[in-house]
Amino acid sequence: QVLLVESGGGSVQAGGSLNLSCATSGYTYTNYDMGWFRQAPGKEREEVASISGDGSATFADSVKGRFTISKDKKKDTLYLQMISLKPEDTAMYYCAAGCYYSAYDVLRGPGALERGEQYVCDYWGQGTQVTVSS
């Protein structure tokens, strides 16, 4: 059984920093991506940052230069360091593992086959709340 447990969330003022941690257990798919996502009230969940099995990181444009993602393989822990926090960073932050691009085909209508890829993750934590006040 794979378990992901986030910690480190809290309330800070704008310009402050927080460090999130995601402790994993039972997760052995190290070749897959791990990532952080967030969802604010009334908004869709969005990817914040991800890190591949070989350590390559990607970030959402809104957090580039402010957030850093890393992982400690020995501790089986994923981290998200956040600095210069803004009120718009307020959201529930989720850790995810076993992430990859999955191809899909959707028939939109007669002869209208849409093909694409979506980023999916097999395992999710329960989330940790981050609140940034102005």
Side-chain angles (χ1 to χ4, degrees):
Q1 182 182 7
V2 176
L3 290 176
L4 308 178
V5 180
E6 302 96 335
S7 61
S11 297
V12 296
Q13 290 190 327
S17 62
L18 284 172
N19 295 320
L20 305 184
S21 298
C22 173
T24 73
S25 63
Y27 179 67
T28 59
Y29 305 104
T30 56
N31 290 331
Y32 289 81
D33 293 357
M34 297 182 72
W36 289 95
F37 294 73
R38 67 186 181 188
Q39 187 167 20
K43 295 186 177 180
E44 293 188 353
R45 186 176 62 197
E46 63 172 344
E47 180 184 348
V48 175
S50 64
I51 186 166
S52 68
D54 64 3
S56 299
T58 59
F59 299 91
D61 288 342
S62 59
V63 306
K64 282 181 180 177
R66 301 188 297 120
F67 290 12
T68 302
I69 187 171
S70 62
K71 59 183 178 180
D72 186 326
K73 292 182 179 180
K74 291 184 178 180
K75 295 182 178 179
D76 293 330
T77 301
L78 180 71
Y79 302 99
L80 185 68
Q81 295 175 293
M82 307 183 293
I83 65 171
S84 303
L85 283 163
K86 305 174 181 180
E88 50 264 43
D89 294 319
T90 295
M92 184 70 79
Y93 282 69
Y94 298 92
C95 168
C99 304
Y100 55 95
Y101 282 97
S102 176
Y104 68 84
D105 292 337
V106 177
L107 189 62
R108 297 296 183 188
L113 181 64
E114 175 185 314
R115 289 182 167 176
E117 285 187 330
Q118 58 182 351
Y119 197 58
V120 297
C121 300
D122 289 338
Y123 308 103
W124 293 86
Q126 294 300 308
T128 185
Q129 178 68 38
V130 171
T131 302
V132 184
S133 57
S134 58

